[in-house]
Amino acid sequence: MTYLRPKFRHPELEKNKLGYTINYYEGALSTLCAGCGHDSISAAVVQACYEMNIEPHRVAKLSGIGCSSKTPTYFLSNSHGFNSVHGRMPSVATGANLANKELIYFGMSGDGDSASIGMGQFVHAVRRNLRMIYIVMNNGCYGLTKGQDSATADKGSISKAGSNNRFEAIDMAALALELGADFVAQSFSGDKTQLIPLIKAAINHKGFAFINVISPCVTFNNNVGSTKSYDYVRQHVDATATIDYVPPAAEIRTSYNEGSSKRVTMHDGSYIQLHKLENSWDPQSRQSAMNAIHEARNRNEILTGLLYLNSQTEDLHHTLNTVSQPLNTLNETDLCPSAEALNSINNSFR
Amino acid sequence: MTYLRPKFRHPELEKNKLGYTINYYEGALSTLCAGCGHDSISAAVVQACYEMNIEPHRVAKLSGIGCSSKTPTYFLSNSHGFNSVHGRMPSVATGANLANKELIYFGMSGDGDSASIGMGQFVHAVRRNLRMIYIVMNNGCYGLTKGQDSATADKGSISKAGSNNRFEAIDMAALALELGADFVAQSFSGDKTQLIPLIKAAINHKGFAFINVISPCVTFNNNVGSTKSYDYVRQHVDATATIDYVPPAAEIRTSYNEGSSKRVTMHDGSYIQLHKLENSWDPQSRQSAMNAIHEARNRNEILTGLLYLNSQTEDLHHTLNTVSQPLNTLNETDLCPSAEALNSINNSFR
Amino acid sequence: MTETPKINDFVIRFANVNGTGSASANFLFTKAIYRMGIPVSPKNIFPSNIQGLPTWYEVRVSEKGYLARRDGIDIVVCVNPQSMANDVKSVRSGGYFLYDNTKMLYQQFIREDIHYIGIPLTKLCNEAFTDARQQQLFKNIAYVGALSVLLSIEFNVFEDLLAEQFKGKEKLIPFNIKALNLGADYIKENYNYPLPLRLERRNLIGNKIMVDGNTACGIGAVYAGATVVSWYPITPSTSVIEAFEEYSSKLRKVKESGENKVAIVQAEDELAAIGMVIGANWNGARSFTATSGPGLSLMNEFLGLAYFAEIPAVLIDVQRTGPSTGMPTRTQQSDVLEAAYASHGDTKHILLFPSTPTECFDLTAESFDLAEQLQTPVILLTDLDLGMNDHICEPFNWDNSRKFKRGKVLHAEDLEKIERFGRYLDVDNDGITYRTYPGTHPTKGSYFTRGTSRDEYAVYTEDGAAYERNMRRLSKKWETAKNMVPAPHFYQKENKSKFGIIFFGTSRYACEEAIDIMNNQGVMLDAMRLLSFPFSQQVHDFINSHEQVFVVEQNRDAQLRSLMLIEMNIVPQKLVSILNFDGMPLTAEKVISEVDKVLKKELSQLN
Amino acid sequence: MTETPKINDFVIRFANVNGTGSASANFLFTKAIYRMGIPVSPKNIFPSNIQGLPTWYEVRVSEKGYLARRDGIDIVVCVNPQSMANDVKSVRSGGYFLYDNTKMLYQQFIREDIHYIGIPLTKLCNEAFTDARQQQLFKNIAYVGALSVLLSIEFNVFEDLLAEQFKGKEKLIPFNIKALNLGADYIKENYNYPLPLRLERRNLIGNKIMVDGNTACGIGAVYAGATVVSWYPITPSTSVIEAFEEYSSKLRKVKESGENKVAIVQAEDELAAIGMVIGANWNGARSFTATSGPGLSLMNEFLGLAYFAEIPAVLIDVQRTGPSTGMPTRTQQSDVLEAAYASHGDTKHILLFPSTPTECFDLTAESFDLAEQLQTPVILLTDLDLGMNDHICEPFNWDNSRKFKRGKVLHAEDLEKIERFGRYLDVDNDGITYRTYPGTHPTKGSYFTRGTSRDEYAVYTEDGAAYERNMRRLSKKWETAKNMVPAPHFYQKENKSKFGIIFFGTSRYACEEAIDIMNNQGVMLDAMRLLSFPFSQQVHDFINSHEQVFVVEQNRDAQLRSLMLIEMNIVPQKLVSILNFDGMPLTAEKVISEVDKVLKKELSQLN
Ligand SMILES: Cc1ncc(C[n+]2csc(CCOP(=O)(O)OP(=O)(O)O)c2C)c(N)n1
Ligand SMILES: Cc1ncc(C[n+]2csc(CCOP(=O)(O)OP(=O)(O)O)c2C)c(N)n1
Ligand code: SF4
Ligand code: SF4
Ligand SMILES: [Mg+2]
Ligand SMILES: [Mg+2]
């Protein structure tokens, strides 16, 4: 990291529709290692929010513990952030979301945070279809505790210390699919052109939007033999398609070759334009997505891009049938039954 | 339950190869509700162990908390049992197994115990390929705490209290498959002819053997509208095949119609004979098993029988390359380096 | 049956099998006594299983209004052959044993010193009803009918109760009446009645209600405006949430749309439950969870986060017999120490100790105010006895003008006026700082919440001095809390003894009775009932002004006394423990005998 | 530079950036001093991040053998511009500031009252080395070279150390020598040397070793015969397991086959880690885990199970600054209360308090004996300072004839002789009962382990009397434990003062120094260092025989004192707390000034 923030800003930075320049979306200076994949993901979040014209204070950023979980400090400094405890961000996010359905919730997690200690909470956040963007910064190791293998480390991957991981990896994207997630994507911190539209689509998704991002740990897991190193990932990425997120009522900016292109429309008329599609993969079929992941895995490839999207999703508030007003805005008048009602309750106990 | 055990035993009960009659394999009298599916599973365990000629004291029975987790008390009274804490049986079993690789480990759990509070430990026991028989007695509810929906309750299933479950169910068998389990089966407590051979094969499997058994809760989830009631399950069961477990060097007792029959050989020459196979399902292909489960799910059917078996499995002791002797039998001589070795350690710190 | 009659003063125990429908019959019995204006107090002693095991329902009737459990059972009604051997033993000498004599009593169950009242319940019901379920069910109603004659319960009270119970299903009433009569008539025909132990209408109840503590907590949370609730099932706390859910669905549904002004989530475990509560409170919604011992243990890490990051949270811990799974269906007050200091590092939590359903209601409501004002977890410690048994208590009371005390929260307008918002800046010098809800203001008021150390502006720091300042401020907040938590209840205007007695929660019933009895015997004790932790100056003063103070608790390790020693620097010899920890609610006899021991010793030292 | 020389007595602080390879250079510096026979004690003050933030390494050199941290830094070596402003301030008046003057020092960093020693480290290394990594790395070695001249470190000591360090990679040695010389030569050419603060060879080390406590714990567990180890990474406990793994792989591999006589599993979290430990111990293998605060919190439920079901377990808690995530890379002794009473219900756990790496080794080994003999969890409470910093201490010692004490275990032969095995039958009247391992005997000795209550024969029961008997037996076992846990260490044969001082763990270093200094000033304190909880009679006696006792701890809430009040019924006014809780190791100055306050008050009261 560099500890002096470059003061100089180009005076003519472009403003978005809200009149904010991109630096309005930044956070505190990162204290992660120079080159850490996680910083690129933070940058992608900044870019996506800026381009989506989001009011930063209408965002809440939640995380667990780990290098990845530190990232909320490094973007959107006008948002409230909550760096909770290791592996338990999903429950904190659930409570927060139930309290106020109107904010945008970013959950930033690591593979240790979500696939080990947080596995139970991850599974149940998916099951509840909590509306949030859930990003796992997947580096196959425990960065902050100095490089132990995580549960997403591939079998046979060599750590910096030279040891050979002997356990099967947990495939977070496949798991989310199996558990019924309606938005599942996979990406690579080194591929901003793919990551930014995915984040935008995730923000717009009306339920649990999961993005598993391979994000190399330059300090502990970027060595030869590691299957989560920059070089390895770059060589083994296999994109389902290239992707564009097109907001509602925006004009179509590109025209695509019909044969290999597909449009997935979201609930509000925005859509995801996919082109150069993988053969025999249908982003709107869960089964096809699962098969595609498994087949890629068998080929030793990492399938990236949008894997599955069901825009007919129904989130937790829908399931619980809560009122449209955020619960945290209800006051005594809304919530407190009268003394008279209490008297009739008393009577029922006589 | 009946609180007086019938004292009368038929004097000519058949003895197994060890010279034990089946009552030698029983446990304390069950205190579960009369008709509870869990009792049938205990009975199947008794039968399987008896027929497999297992020494009861070479079995360890572990569980969490719940009606299902009480069952270890009700079979094999000559085995050590451990009724631990809710949802954490997998870790206790892992420690126990590491201490002594020579015992047979039964882990008895419930859907609350494994799919909610125990989800994290379940996932990681699968991932480590701990050698054990792991049975989830799946009744879609929390029996012992009086009938709340569990995470395996199907969406739309109606509880006794009349409420309609609004969450997607977690499919434990599909999950185990996705996580890489090498022995995955599904059964119904009401189907002993299927369950007993599955338990036998599971006992013989050299790694994590998972059996998800639909086991109706007669008290809280056996009503009309419940998808875990006896009636519903009986009507919606779709067996992959009928199944026979044939121990090593045993003679083949039946001859099967070639076309619809398949033999899956286990590590020691024993085999599982499957007949009346489902179309397009290969018990030795994970992908095929997953597709079969998903397709059955789409048809609102519960696929039972052996779903997937990979007999080339390597369990946790293999991964850790432990000595062949059980670790709990090693003594000072085996374990304690000498005072001289300590001196040279001291020297390394000078 | 030559005893002189004893009016409105006995203990009766019903020995049933669980899952056989005895609960509603037993409740009918108790409610009838309540309706006759007589103080009555039932205790359910049930197994940790669902069906087929012995379960007991013990009812004490007390003209004097003593509502504690009492040893020495006067009447046993036994319809469970499984437990009959022990049930026969449990009758006090001279007492009554009512049983189903359809089958003959085993010879070994015959005692010389008790009275036997056999009723052929099975036979009567088999003859009177055809449906097998009814034959089973109405045996219970039949013995209630028998008791109505034996104990002089007014029959029309039953009629009223049944009419209320079966509103909408009126056709069930005649069956019940018939069953009552089966028992009643049999007694009339075969025995002298009423018994010397019997009931007489009184007017001792006033406007009091009969309800369990968990229901009261649930209603309290509705009134307090809890909107986000997450929980994981565990006995004996489950019914807190069930009650909250029931009353929410009655009182918090938008009529037109059916939408809920509340979100209730069954969590995957207790870690998730408290995590959701913390997330919701952080985001400005009132939120709580309920659990019992094992759940509390699992919440340790999160409770430490809430303490240190200063997030309100309300946790209702309905205590049961520990340690570990212990006896999940028995009562105890043994989570006190764990709750007070839950989590690693230097942590302390606010505790509230309700003793009646009325206090469950009041203190639950208050706990939300305290949690938000103090920005810290508040743990309500109730227990199985209070939570799951019915108690006669004052009716619930609510002032329509009451406002939620939401504590120090800055809104957009407030932030506009501030130069720089310091989340952990002790502006008012009381240790309590100002917070903002997420989403309040575009450029002001955002901050980062974390379990790591930070400075006054919520900026991460590893500076030892900043860390220490923050920890000292938290101690100051603790001092502030002492004057905010509910004050102890004193039983005397002025102290009149050198002996004091301190108790809390459900020990109240036995202690009040013991004090009363001792008073009548000329032994004076000044009494203080604690409602909260930390301890205020009043608590110090009470202890300081007595030579010897009894501390009554329902645990083995004198956990409340431990808190007193730690927090108040009390000379330990001053505090004499009275401990009850076998899982059964405390009795006055136990308290009296323990006090006696000390007094006798003192007397003998004087001689 | 006119100060009179001060030999072997200074504090030097290195201000680096983490992740830049300074650690090995700094260690080289410390080790050289150790090799010169001079007591030296380093402290690593590092951030909770991986790369790019300020990190400090503070070394105290003390002829007198004072190994505590000391305030007042004599020399700062600053190669981190990030922290330079504060680093300049941290030098004591008259001290030295060594820095890289490749770039000119900012004007605002110039103080009148300290000495500046500029060395163009970057320039020198850029000229001398071509590889960028080397240019960066050898700056650190170069300043060590400069210090060797300034402080008179014998150059051949470095040569020896480098030869050992690079055994097998000898071609790296010349680069290092070259770098050392770069610094050394620059000083020789440009400055007067040596400084008045300097080193002189001594023979004060004897056969002592220099090692960190976590490594010692790891080796101790190897010697104790631990075979199943499960853990979850967390600072500062991780290196306990790393050490165990390293020495296991050296000493526990079957040569021929490469098979392991040990199973080490990285668990998915701390709940699983302690669960595995419990499962393994239940099954007769010695098993342990290591964690820090948050992990301890997560283990609460399982610790209660192990207490109640009576399963041995060893847990090494390397304490860090709490609460919550707190300051994960700072030290504290603040898990004492949580560890002692972890879990809901009435629970108590054995604690051990090592103060040196030697004791880490010894007490780790002993913890397995105690856990198995007492059939209960034993928690070793060490801390970050002890665990992660190097300490000079007695060498490890092992008696080849030592046997593992496996406690009361019945084997097949024993069972044959017994009529009926009662798992929880107190045969020996010491509260400790006999257990069997699973798989022992075909028909005898099997039993059911559970967290629910049971009778003496391990049969489930909800009988209050059986429950109470069992709980009282556990209390008896606790009494038995008092005579089995390691005795306190006394610093005097006979008490000679009315003042006593009690301390434990790493407070030892500062306390011993403080006592020594006060002694020299004529203030006598009797001292006792605790090694364990529960407290034995000796601890009572020590306190009873003094009027006033200081209790030194590194936490805010006086947690050890709390245990004393609870467990020993001590008059609280007797125990005066000395608390240090800013995350930095305690200093003797702090102890002395706190003691002084009390003594002054006492004096003033006399006047
Ligand atoms: C309860 C608990 N256990 C352990 C830790 C220590 N810890 C901090 S971060 C971390 C792992 C981080 O790994 P990951 O989530 O993959 O994040 P990364 O640093 O790799 O981005 C661990 C184990 C903790 N903070 N809390
Ligand atoms: C930590 C903890 N939380 C909650 C409980 C209460 N509890 C006991 S059993 C159970 C659920 C049992 O459900 P399941 O595992 O499906 O078993 P079943 O009774 O349905 O067979 C719960 C929540 C507990 N014992 N421990
Ligand atoms: S240690 Fe790895 S994950 Fe952590 S900041 Fe450095 S590169 Fe990123
Ligand atoms: S409650 Fe349900 S699961 Fe439990 S014993 Fe009864 S039938 Fe079985
Ligand atoms: Mg990671
Ligand atoms: Mg269940």
Side-chain angles (χ1 to χ4, degrees), chain A residues 150-171:
Chain A
S150 78
T152 65
D154 292 303
K155 191 163 181 173
S157 183
I158 312 286
S159 77
K160 194 183 180 188
S163 71
N164 185 326
N165 178 45
R166 307 193 60 182
F167 292 95
E168 285 300 342
I170 291 176
D171 183 329

Side-chain angles (χ1 to χ4, degrees), chain B residues 38 65-69 86 110-113 117 137 139 141-145, chain C residues 232-235 270 294-295 298 320 325, chain D residues 301:
Chain B
H38 303 353
I65 301 281
C67 294
S68 34
S69 291
H86 193 33
D111 44 332
D113 202 57
I117 190 167
M137 305 186 175
N139 54 15
C141 75
Y142 287 20
L144 192 54
T145 53
Chain C
Y232 190 69
I234 188 167
T235 307
E270 290 85 350
L298 288 172
R320 63 190 213 184
T325 310
Chain D
E301 189 193 17

Side-chain angles (χ1 to χ4, degrees), chain A residues 38 66-68 109-113 136-144 148 150 152 215 217:
Chain A
H38 302 352
C67 295
S68 33
S109 184
D111 44 333
D113 202 56
V136 168
M137 306 187 174
N138 195 335
N139 54 17
C141 75
Y142 286 21
L144 192 55
Q148 297 84 5
S150 78
T152 65
S215 174
C217 169

Side-chain angles (χ1 to χ4, degrees), chain B residues 32-33 36 38 67 139 143 217-220, chain C residues 50:
Chain B
L32 302 180
C33 304
C36 176
H38 303 353
C67 294
N139 54 15
C217 170
V218 290
T219 302
F220 297 113
Chain C
I50 300 302

